[in-house]
Amino acid sequence: MKRKRIALIAAGVIIVGVVTGYTLLDKWLGNNVEIESVIPGQGTEAAAGAGTTNNTEASAGVVVTAEQLNGDWTIADTSKVYWSVTTSKETVNFVDNKVQGTWNVNIEDSTSMAGEGTVDMSALDSGNGQRDEHVKGTDFLSVTEFPQSTFVVKSFSELPAEWTEGATVPVEMQGTLTVRGVEKDVTFQSQAAYSGGQLMLSGTTTVAFSDFGMSNPHTVVLDTENNLEVRLELVLTK
């Protein structure tokens, strides 16, 4: 009887150990970051986007003037950039909230517009500190040597002459993305909206680890795709 009790206790300890180990492995390998969109209807609303939702609803249908849109805009500190890697388990998101940059808007002449952004790669966060440090290390991003990633716009698609408060308009941005000191021409397919005196921009592009001289990560229990998505969730103010 005593041996049976000891065996049951041992089995219980093993089960608890397995469950605990699986939970820790799941946190290590799994996704801990949800993408938050600054534009209502484009995904989960970020704090900045949520703050403009009531304004959007209250002023829906109001025409936005060229004077309100045109001029120099600065990326606000509520902006974020996401990097999403698809693994054999799920898609893992990294978020970076240290984003700076500008966008000069001219809805009458898209060829005169200019834009650029800089991301502090040391702020990259997947909700798992050990994983983040590994990704920032010399095997991948080499953040100590290359602390910033940049995007410089070469051309914008033509913008509509009339905007409505809170309504989205398509914006295509072609330019150069620099990561780890390596340049790559990319196109961001985006949506923009004006609400409450702010411009919101939500856009995505797809690049590959190999574009920037990296190999996509592999472990004995996990594979990752070579492609990854870069997503801009930007709030801009004058």
Side-chain angles (χ1 to χ4, degrees), residues 1-2 4 8-9 12 21 33 36 42 44-45 54 60 79 90 96 106 122 135 155 185 189 208 222 228:
M1 190 71 180
K2 186 175 180 180
K4 185 176 181 181
L8 289 173
I9 293 173
V33 174
E36 301 174 324
Q42 298 296 307
T44 304
E45 293 173 16
N54 291 334
S79 302
E90 61 182 321
D96 198 313
N106 186 334
S122 67
V135 169
S155 66
D185 287 338
Q189 300 294 342
L222 190 72
L228 64 152

Side-chain angles (χ1 to χ4, degrees), residues 132-154:
D132 297 342
E133 289 307 308
H134 181 58
V135 169
K136 295 174 191 178
T138 55
D139 288 342
F140 295 103
L141 293 173
S142 298
V143 169
T144 300
E145 185 178 0
F146 306 103
Q148 294 181 332
S149 292
T150 62
F151 177 60
V152 178
V153 185
K154 293 181 177 178

